[in-house]
Amino acid sequence: MTADTTEPEEYATGAAERRREQRGWYFYDFACSVYSTSVVTVFLGPYLTSVARAASDAEGFVHPLGIPVRAGSLFAYAVSASIIVAVLVMPLVGAVADRTGRKKPLLAAAAYLGAAATAGMFFLAGERYLLGTFLLIVANASLAVSMVLYNAYLPQIAEPDERDAVSSRGWAFGYTSGALVLVLNLVLYSGHDSFGLTEGEAIRICLASAGLWWGAFTIIPLRRLRDRHVRADAGAERAGAVGSGWGQLRATLKDMRRHPLTLSFLLAYLVYNDGVQTVISQASVFGSEELGLDQTTLITAVLLVQVLAVAGALGMGRLARTHGAKRTILGSLAVWTLILAAGYFLPADAPVFFYCLAAAIGLVLGGSQALSRSLFSHLVPRGKEAEYFSAYEMSDRGLSWLGPLVFGLAYQLTGSYRDAIISLVIFFVVGFALLARVPVRRAVEEAGNPLPERI
């Protein structure tokens, strides 16, 4: 089967216009990554838990909607609830974006809803745990929906041979902003007394500033990205498919059965990305509980990951030009396996070794994510970018639950976080095996897309 190498009007643009859109596209990662780093990874979890504990009863429970919830579990439950909301909304938004061709207004709506919810966290004080829970659900779900639309632009603004580099630069922009704002936040947080602030006030300013940053820099992609014209027959073909979120998801998965190799890649990504996300979310627990490291060490390690992820994303993007995205991703999965093995043997009360592990994670984190995104973009049939990327985003965010479950069960059965961390090797080994079996060149051809020189 030979792929059609001609580009339809809605894809074909001049080199100068493509570069302009690409530069604007990078800035959405720059805008929203601050939320993931400063809000979700560092500040909100402990702070929301403290607010919930202030409102809890004598047994340590709060009662949202009359349901008894242990205060220490509220943050995790709120994240899970946001995933459920996102899973319901993402397929619907993806289908509407593809049917109408109007990704930009939908991106603006999702981005500014999330940014406003994040800025509203400034008012999360006292015993307002319900407000914090609501704002977290709205912000997290909005971010997931906006990323569907953001990722769906990649096949339209980059030629096949450009996508690895463009995707990697986007991730690098995101990690750069995450590191920059985290440094500013840490200065404010650690020196809050000298600024005349309480610790809680400093945290609330850090949370709200992430929302302001998100909203301010979203202006740049909204000014530079453009909507593509959708053929009338293509829009009519999918008009009837736009119903409930679950109904659209079923329609998307049914359509994917016509592209089994695309589905095979998505399965591999689901498995190994579950491992990646679990390492990221559980590394601080491993560091504090098993290795006895203090909060300052853990936050500094997060900052180190952010800084080195920039170099890692750009460096792996260059490797992909020579070796292809698939081989480079496979190499990164091998490195992830070695990282977990090294983590198992890390000595306690030794921050230097933990920093070394954080550095290794940073070097492969951005690249493995960026190249997975660009590789998937080659496997998406034309005109269904947002629809397919909604399934991809659900793999990235909505279905990453098995890794934490395995981690938790391993700890429950053994009482050792070392055993829990090494249990995650299975995700990288299985993901490696599944990805290695995907004939990506044939998958690109079967999706009807032009083949890049290396993939």
Side-chain angles (χ1 to χ4, degrees):
M1 179 179 179
T2 302
D4 179 9
T5 58
T6 61
E7 291 288 324
E9 179 273 331
E10 61 264 30
Y11 288 79
T13 56
E17 176 63 20
R18 281 203 318 278
R19 298 290 185 273
R20 184 177 186 276
E21 285 197 272
Q22 287 168 9
R23 287 191 290 271
W25 186 80
Y26 299 147
F27 269 94
Y28 189 68
D29 239 328
F30 192 83
C32 70
S33 291
V34 171
Y35 169 82
S36 299
T37 303
S38 290
V39 176
V40 177
T41 304
V42 177
F43 289 111
L44 185 57
Y47 186 68
L48 180 58
T49 301
S50 69
V51 172
R53 284 184 175 142
S56 64
D57 58 23
E59 287 75 34
F61 286 85
V62 290
H63 300 268
L65 303 177
I67 303 171
V69 174
R70 193 174 293 280
S73 301
L74 183 69
F75 178 72
Y77 288 151
V79 172
S80 297
S82 73
I83 290 171
I84 293 172
V85 172
V87 165
L88 291 171
V89 175
M90 284 190 293
L92 176 60
V93 172
V96 171
D98 286 335
R99 178 171 61 86
T100 64
R102 293 180 60 77
K103 296 182 181 69
K104 191 157 68 170
L106 294 169
L107 175 61
Y112 281 108
L113 180 60
T118 306
M121 292 176 186
F122 177 79
F123 301 102
L124 178 56
E127 299 180 358
R128 298 175 181 171
Y129 73 94
L130 283 176
L131 174 64
T133 302
F134 173 74
L135 293 176
L136 171 58
I137 291 171
V138 172
N140 243 25
S142 297
L143 177 65
V145 171
S146 72
M147 290 304 294
V148 169
L149 301 160
Y150 168 71
N151 289 335
Y153 270 104
L154 181 58
Q156 297 180 333
I157 64 171
E159 297 288 343
D161 288 322
E162 298 176 316
R163 290 182 198 167
D164 291 341
V166 170
S167 183
S168 297
R169 290 189 198 110
W171 279 104
F173 265 60
Y175 284 118
T176 299
S177 72
L180 173 61
V181 175
L182 186 56
V183 168
L184 298 176
N185 287 340
L186 288 177
V187 170
L188 178 64
Y189 174 73
S190 60
H192 60 82
D193 286 334
S194 61
F195 292 106
L197 300 171
T198 66
E199 181 179 341
E201 289 170 340
I203 291 174
R204 287 160 49 207
I205 291 172
C206 291
L207 294 173
S209 67
L212 297 176
W213 182 285
W214 186 356
F217 283 100
T218 295
I219 294 173
I220 298 175
L222 292 180
R223 288 178 62 87
R224 294 202 172 190
L225 293 171
R226 65 183 181 87
D227 286 328
R228 266 64 177 176
H229 173 71
V230 176
R231 300 187 315 273
D233 57 336
E237 180 183 338
R238 289 191 297 277
V242 180
S244 68
W246 285 107
Q248 181 54 44
L249 176 60
R250 287 194 297 270
T252 301
L253 294 176
K254 183 178 180 180
D255 186 76
M256 279 187 171
R257 292 171 61 184
R258 298 168 49 211
H259 304 281
L261 297 181
T262 301
L263 197 56
S264 295
F265 170 81
L266 195 61
L267 176 61
Y269 175 74
L270 186 155
V271 173
Y272 69 73
N273 183 65
D274 203 350
V276 171
Q277 297 302 322
T278 306
V279 172
I280 294 171
S281 65
Q282 302 301 321
S284 60
V285 175
F286 176 73
S288 61
E289 299 297 327
E290 186 68 34
L291 303 182
L293 303 175
D294 58 33
Q295 187 68 23
T296 301
T297 299
L298 297 175
I299 294 176
T300 309
V302 171
L303 180 59
L304 179 62
V305 169
Q306 295 293 309
V307 172
L308 291 180
V310 177
L314 296 176
M316 287 181 63
R318 293 191 181 94
L319 283 175
R321 296 178 196 170
T322 304
H323 303 288
K326 177 183 173 180
R327 289 182 179 177
T328 307
I329 295 170
L330 289 173
S332 76
L333 298 182
V335 174
W336 275 108
T337 303
L338 293 176
I339 287 172
L340 292 178
Y344 181 81
F345 293 104
L346 275 188
D349 299 315
V352 172
F353 291 104
F354 189 73
Y355 286 140
C356 291
L357 196 69
I361 289 174
L363 290 174
V364 293
L365 175 61
S368 57
Q369 292 175 317
L371 293 179
S372 296
R373 176 172 65 185
S374 61
L375 181 54
F376 184 70
S377 74
H378 292 288
L379 311 182
V380 176
R382 287 174 182 160
K384 298 185 176 181
E385 293 83 11
E387 188 178 332
Y388 271 57
F389 266 109
S390 70
Y392 179 88
E393 190 68 14
M394 286 168 64
S395 297
D396 189 10
R397 298 176 188 274
L399 299 179
S400 295
W401 56 269
L402 185 58
L405 177 62
V406 169
F407 185 91
L409 287 175
Y411 177 75
Q412 181 172 331
L413 294 173
T414 67
S416 168
Y417 281 106
R418 294 183 187 275
D419 292 334
I421 204 75
I422 201 67
S423 70
L424 300 178
V425 166
I426 188 66
F427 291 93
F428 296 101
V429 172
V430 173
F432 183 102
L434 291 174
L435 178 59
R437 296 181 59 188
V438 179
V440 291
R441 298 184 71 84
R442 183 153 60 90
V444 174
E445 292 176 339
E446 291 187 1
N449 293 321
L451 274 169
E453 183 177 346
R454 290 191 181 277
I455 192 168

